[in-house]
Amino acid sequence: MTNEQLIAIIKFALANGASLTGRIKAFADLVHHGHALTNDEINALELEAQADDDRRIAARNTDEAGQ
Amino acid sequence: MRRLFPALILALTVACASLSTKQTISAAHLAARNAVTILDDAEMAACKPDVTKKHCTAVPVILTDAAHANFSARIVDFYMKDKAISQLIVDWTPGQPVPVTLTDAIAAAEKFVTDANALAPALTAKADAVLKKWRDLAQKWVGGVK
């Protein structure tokens, strides 16, 4: 498999990966292989992580949490 | 785990302001965040909280209710800080200097990582094994910053 083919597969995973963890792993792999993402692609993943932060905060939303 | 955030701060220290730098820092940030979510999920599995989210139901008992409450309070604080870090990265336009507040925000989030072992000692060994992979990856990324 060529580096270009590998990057194509990773980019597919980044675009279509079911889980945020898998998408972040695909992002890491792209960076590792020296492939550049656009600013919008980076920001989209960060915003998705923020949404996941909100879900995880809600899952632990007790009287004690967040004080 | 403890070395992940310092590695990110090192990346910021040596960073120029290109898109590739933003990409490297974002990747390291998301990897560090992923490591915490793994610990988060492990703690939830070890507790199996009931509908009140306050009482652990896991058998055998691994975590006390008090330990779970303490962990929850701290990890919620981490996620609040993580959102601030993420927004700083989003707002950072490539070509502009690295936001000074980004380093401060990461240092604040690092406190959670430093305290993680004390929060849930029963999970530490398992979490460390998973997190070692992320540490190694993060160090490779930091080494790639020029």
Side-chain angles (χ1 to χ4, degrees), chain A residues 1-54:
Chain A
M1 180 180 293
T2 66
N3 197 46
E4 288 73 20
Q5 288 172 324
L6 181 61
I7 287 174
I9 292 171
I10 295 171
K11 286 204 78 170
F12 180 85
L14 186 58
N16 301 282
S19 71
L20 176 60
T21 300
R23 290 157 62 78
I24 289 173
K25 179 67 169 60
F27 180 26
D29 287 343
L30 282 175
V31 172
H32 181 68
H33 285 86
H35 184 80
L37 271 69
T38 68
N39 191 49
D40 286 346
E41 287 172 328
I42 295 169
N43 287 348
L45 208 51
E46 287 285 351
L47 291 174
E48 194 174 341
Q50 288 184 37
D52 189 57
D53 283 343
D54 284 334

Side-chain angles (χ1 to χ4, degrees), chain B residues 20-102:
Chain B
S20 66
T21 301
K22 174 170 175 171
Q23 174 173 289
T24 302
I25 289 172
S26 175
H29 160 247
L30 292 172
R33 182 194 170 280
N34 247 11
V36 174
T37 63
I38 290 168
L39 186 62
D40 182 2
D41 293 343
E43 197 273 349
M44 278 291 206
C47 172
K48 297 188 188 304
D50 65 4
V51 292
T52 70
K53 302 175 183 176
K54 295 180 180 179
H55 302 298
C56 295
T57 65
V59 179
V61 175
I62 299 174
L63 296 172
T64 64
D65 290 349
H68 174 66
N70 186 21
F71 187 93
S72 289
R74 293 193 185 217
I75 203 166
V76 164
D77 185 54
F78 169 84
Y79 285 130
M80 297 298 288
K81 291 180 171 69
D82 183 71
K83 286 177 62 181
I85 293 170
S86 179
Q87 193 57 48
L88 284 168
I89 293 173
V90 169
D91 292 341
W92 173 22
T93 303
Q96 298 298 311
V98 178
V100 174
T101 49
L102 185 55

